[in-house]
Amino acid sequence: MAVSALELRPRNAVALMDAALRLCTRNAGVWALTLPGGAAVVAAVLYLAESVRMGWPLMVPSLLLTLAWFLRGLGQGATCHYVQELLLGTQGEPSAWASLKAALGRMPALFIAVAYLLGLNALVVMVTGGFGYLLLQAHGVGYAAVMQGRGSPLKLYGTCSRLLGPARGTAMWVRILMSVQVLAFFNLHIAFNFLLLLGRKLVGVDLTFAERYASLDNGQWLLFLAVTTFALFEPVRAATATLLLVDGRVRQEGLDLLASVQQLPSRDLGRPLPPPGATRGAAMLAVVLGLGLLTAAPAQAQDTEDAKPLAPTEALRRLGEVAEACEAATAEDAAGLYAPLESLGPSEAVKLDRFVRRVERQAFDEEDCDKARATLTQGLTTLGATVDAQAQADARAATARAKDILSRPEFAEAAPKAEKDAPEPTAPSEPPGWWRRFIDWLGELLKKWFERDPAEPRQETAPPVLSGVSVANVLVVVLVTLTLAVLGVVLLRALNRDKRRAGADGVQVSTVDASTLAGDAHHALSRPPEGWAHLADELAAQGAYREAVRSLYLALLSRLHRDGAILYDETLSNWDYLSQFRGRAEWKAPFRELTRRFDFAWYGNLPVGVDGYREFRALTEPLLAAPARPEVAGA
C-alpha cells in the first residue's frame, strides 16, 4: 500500500533501521526475493571452503560462487523495486513477480552494478584497511539507484551521491548500525548449541559429533555462521537502501515542508468562500494598486537616499534643543543621560534617527512637551540598556577570544614531571556491584550448561560395530552400496520369476558357512539361540549386564531367522528387522519392546542393572522357548 506524502518526513538512521526491520518482519515478499540468492551464496561459499580444505580444483567452486553472487544482485534489485512500490505505489499494487520481471528487464545494468560494487568495496577495504568502508557510504544504495534507471551504471557512485543528497550522513550511520550483524552471529551460535544441549539432556541422543562441529574453534562452523548471518540480513539491506533514497528525495524536494504546511489548521473554517466573480475583482484591484505603488516608488527611494541617519553628535545637539525647549532636564542631568549615545554602534544609527525625529515632532510640531519629555526619558533609558547589553556582549566575545588564544599549544604550561622514586598510590579495592556479581553468576551457569559431561567408563567386551564418525565418513559409500544391492535383488527376482513359481516349496536360502561364522563374535548366526542364551547367563553372573542383554538380543535374532520371521543381514538395522517382520503376529509387540530396550541400553549407553536384565530375560524367554517351526532348507 502506498504511503501518503503527508507521512513522508526526513528520518534519522535509527528510525530508518527500525522501519526497515518492521517492513521485513511484516512482509513475505522481501524474503521471497532475497532468500534464493542468499542461500545460493551460502552453499557456494561452503563448497569453495571445502574444496580449499580438501585440495580439490577451484575452478568449478569459483564459477559457482560468481554465479551465486550475480543471482544475489538480481534478487537485491528486485527487492528494492518491490519495497519502492510498497512505499510509493507508482505502478499499482506491489507484487513479487512484477518486481522480479522489472529486475530481469534491467539485468545488464544490475550485473554491471554487481561487478562495480564488488570491485569498489574490495579496493576500499584493501587500501584503507576497512575504515573507508564506513566513510564511503553512498554506494550502499547502488541496486536501488540502478532500479530507478538514473545515470550510467559505470558512474554508479556519483549517481548514488546525487540521489542521496543531504541523506549521505544518514547512510553512513545506517552502515554503522548494520554492525548489529555481529550480535546476530553470536545469537545463532548460542541458539544452535542450546538446541544440542536440549537434545542431549532431554532426549538422550549422542550428539558429540555435532557438538564438536558447532564450536568456535572450528573454522568451517565460523564460516557457516558468517555467511548465514549475511544471508539473513539481505532483506534489511534492500529495505534500508530504498528507504534512504526516499529520505534523500524528501530532503531535496521539500516534501517535509509541504506536509507541514498542509497540516497547519485553518483560521476561518466556518467562513464561506467568496464567489468566483468576487475573487477575480479582488485580483484586478490588487493589480491596479500594485501598478500605483510601482509608479510612486522612485520618488520615495529618492527621499530615502536624501535622508541619511544622524551622527551621534548631531543627535546629541538636537536632543539638547528639545530638552531645553521643554525643560526636560538640567545641564548636569542631560550630560549623564546623553552619555550612552556616544557608545552606540553603526547598527543603532537608524533607530537613533527615528527616535530624534519622533521627539522633535512631538515637541515642535504637536507642541506637546509633556508627551515629548516622557518619550525622551523612556527612549534614553532604552538606549542606555542597549549600550549596556552591547558592552556585555563585547566583553564576552573578548573573553572568549582571550581563552581561545590562551588555549593554544604555545601558551600551555608543561606538566610537572612525576618523581620516579615515589611509589604510585594504589586505590583501595571496592567490592563488586550487583551487576558484576550477576554477570559472573550467569557466566558460571552458562559454562556449567555447555560443559560436557565426563565420559563414564565403559565395560565392553568388544568394540561397537558402528560409530558416529565411521557412519559420517562412509555414508555415501553405504548409500551407493545399498542402492546397487537393491537393484541387484530386483534384477535377480525378475530373471528368476518363473523358476520361483515352479519350485515354490523348495526355496533355498544360501548362508555363510558355519566354520566362517564361528570366528565372528558379532554375527547372530555364529551360535544357536541356546548358545547365546547360555553366554548371556554367564555374562550376567559376572556383572556385565549390558553385554548379557546384547547376547539375549542376538539369541532372539538367531531364533527369528531360523523360524523365517526375519532374514538376518549385518547391513540391516534392528528396526529394519521389525519393519520386515513376517513371523507370528503375537510376537511383534514383544519384539518391538525388546528392540527399543536394547537400543537404549547398548547404543544409548544407559546403565543396566540386575533388575533390567531380569526384565529383559523375562520378555525374551517366551520367544526363545516357543516350539520351533520347520526350518527352511538351507537356513
Side-chain angles (χ1 to χ4, degrees):
M1 180 177 180
V3 178
S4 172
L6 297 179
E7 300 180 11
L8 296 176
R9 295 286 189 279
R11 309 285 184 179
N12 55 18
V14 177
L16 287 177
M17 281 291 294
D18 178 68
L21 290 174
R22 285 190 288 110
L23 189 146
C24 293
T25 54
R26 298 177 183 179
N27 197 285
V30 292
W31 293 96
L33 292 172
T34 54
L35 277 184
V41 171
V42 172
V45 169
L46 294 180
Y47 181 41
L48 180 61
E50 184 67 15
S51 300
V52 172
R53 188 178 69 88
M54 300 299 295
W56 298 340
L58 302 180
M59 183 178 66
V60 175
S62 302
L63 179 61
L64 292 178
L65 180 58
T66 304
L67 295 177
W69 197 258
F70 278 101
L71 179 61
R72 170 193 174 264
L74 188 66
Q76 283 284 308
T79 308
C80 292
H81 182 273
Y82 180 79
V83 174
Q84 180 178 353
E85 292 300 317
L86 194 65
L87 294 176
L88 304 180
T90 58
Q91 298 179 2
E93 189 69 21
S95 171
W97 285 109
S99 299
L100 183 60
K101 291 179 181 178
L104 292 175
R106 295 191 176 275
M107 186 167 58
L110 283 175
F111 285 174
I112 295 175
V114 169
Y116 181 93
L117 294 176
L118 182 61
L120 179 61
N121 288 329
L123 182 63
V124 168
V125 170
M126 288 188 298
V127 173
T128 64
F131 183 74
Y133 184 75
L134 299 176
L135 298 180
L136 299 176
Q137 72 285 346
H139 59 284
V141 299
Y143 296 113
V146 169
M147 290 306 298
Q148 291 188 3
R150 299 186 182 182
S152 173
L154 299 178
K155 299 178 181 179
L156 188 58
Y157 192 86
T159 303
C160 295
S161 299
R162 185 174 67 255
L163 292 178
L164 283 175
R168 287 191 294 269
T170 307
M172 181 185 69
W173 285 108
V174 167
R175 176 159 289 184
I176 294 175
L177 290 177
M178 288 295 289
S179 58
V180 73
Q181 297 176 84
V182 179
L183 298 178
F185 175 90
F186 287 104
N187 286 335
L188 284 176
H189 172 73
I190 294 173
F192 191 82
N193 280 273
F194 183 72
L195 292 177
L196 293 180
L197 175 66
L198 292 180
R200 179 163 53 89
K201 294 290 186 181
L202 300 181
V203 185
V205 182
D206 188 7
L207 300 173
T208 305
F209 183 77
E211 290 177 349
R212 180 64 190 89
Y213 178 77
S215 59
L216 292 179
D217 57 350
N218 186 8
Q220 290 184 334
W221 173 247
L222 295 179
L223 182 62
F224 171 75
L225 288 180
V227 295
T228 304
T229 305
F230 177 83
L232 290 178
F233 272 79
E234 286 289 87
V236 182
R237 291 188 186 88
T240 51
T242 308
L243 290 174
L244 279 171
L245 286 186
V246 173
D247 186 70
R249 179 182 173 187
V250 168
R251 295 174 185 270
Q252 292 180 17
E253 297 182 0
L255 294 181
D256 54 331
L257 181 59
L258 176 62
S260 300
V261 172
Q262 291 179 355
Q263 287 185 348
L264 289 177
S266 178
R267 290 188 177 182
D268 299 328
L269 296 178
R271 179 179 299 175
L273 295 176
T279 305
R280 289 195 295 269
M284 294 299 295
L285 179 60
V287 171
V288 172
L289 292 177
L291 293 176
L293 291 175
L294 289 176
T295 56
Q300 185 179 0
Q302 185 68 25
D303 295 339
T304 305
E305 292 179 358
D306 293 341
K308 296 181 180 179
L310 293 175
T313 55
E314 180 66 17
L316 286 174
R317 184 184 65 79
R318 294 171 65 171
L319 288 176
E321 294 177 355
V322 173
E324 184 179 357
C326 294
E327 298 179 357
T330 62
E332 292 79 4
D333 296 338
L337 290 173
Y338 301 156
L341 299 180
E342 300 178 354
S343 302
L344 290 175
S347 60
E348 305 294 334
V350 177
K351 299 179 181 179
L352 179 61
D353 180 72
R354 290 199 300 266
F355 172 68
V356 172
R357 293 178 186 275
R358 180 183 177 187
V359 174
E360 287 180 342
R361 184 175 66 254
Q362 293 175 354
F364 299 130
D365 297 342
E366 300 176 2
E367 296 181 356
D368 189 354
C369 287
D370 295 336
K371 187 175 181 181
R373 282 195 299 268
T375 303
L376 180 60
T377 303
Q378 182 181 1
L380 291 177
T381 304
T382 304
L383 290 174
T386 303
V387 171
D388 294 340
Q390 183 177 354
Q392 293 178 2
D394 295 340
R396 286 194 297 268
T399 303
R401 180 169 177 78
K403 290 182 180 179
D404 186 27
I405 294 175
L406 292 177
S407 63
R408 294 177 182 175
E410 56 267 21
F411 296 103
E413 296 182 2
K417 297 182 179 180
E419 298 181 1
K420 297 182 179 179
D421 299 336
E424 297 181 357
T426 58
S429 59
E430 298 181 356
W434 65 272
W435 178 254
R436 183 72 262 172
R437 294 196 301 271
F438 173 73
I439 293 298
D440 295 340
W441 173 81
L442 184 60
E444 292 294 333
L445 182 62
L446 292 176
K447 183 179 179 182
K448 185 182 300 183
W449 279 5
F450 290 103
E451 193 177 38
R452 298 178 181 176
D453 296 336
E456 299 180 358
R458 300 180 180 180
Q459 298 179 0
E460 297 182 357
T461 57
V465 179
L466 298 175
S467 63
V469 178
S470 61
V471 171
N473 292 332
V474 301
L475 182 60
V476 177
V477 178
V478 171
L479 291 176
V480 173
T481 304
L482 290 177
T483 303
L484 295 177
V486 171
L487 291 177
V489 170
V490 172
L491 183 60
L492 290 176
R493 287 183 178 181
L495 294 177
N496 300 328
R497 183 180 304 171
D498 296 335
K499 184 177 180 180
R500 288 200 304 270
R501 290 178 180 176
D505 296 336
V507 178
Q508 298 292 328
V509 180
S510 61
T511 59
V512 185
D513 185 59
S515 60
T516 304
L517 295 177
D520 189 358
H522 304 289
H523 203 285
L525 303 182
S526 61
R527 298 185 184 210
E530 297 79 7
W532 284 115
H534 181 70
L535 177 61
D537 293 336
E538 292 180 355
L539 292 173
Q542 299 174 5
Y545 296 108
R546 290 181 68 251
E547 289 76 10
V549 166
R550 177 178 176 271
S551 298
L552 281 177
Y553 192 76
L554 291 177
L556 176 63
L557 294 180
S558 178
R559 171 62 189 273
L560 294 177
H561 175 79
R562 292 174 181 270
D563 288 352
I566 64 172
L567 180 61
Y568 183 79
D569 189 352
E570 286 184 316
T571 60
L572 299 179
S573 66
N574 300 333
W575 297 98
D576 291 336
Y577 298 141
L578 183 63
S579 62
Q580 300 174 5
F581 187 77
R582 298 186 302 272
R584 304 176 186 176
E586 63 272 14
W587 284 10
K588 192 169 185 178
F591 184 40
R592 179 184 292 106
E593 179 65 20
L594 290 170
T595 302
R596 186 184 65 83
R597 293 195 179 197
F598 171 72
D599 283 353
F600 273 97
W602 187 253
Y603 298 108
N605 294 324
L606 293 181
V608 180
V610 59
D611 295 335
Y613 171 73
R614 289 176 180 175
E615 293 178 1
F616 199 89
R617 178 73 173 175
L619 291 174
T620 313
E621 186 66 28
L623 277 68
L624 296 178
R629 292 182 177 181
E631 187 175 352
V632 180

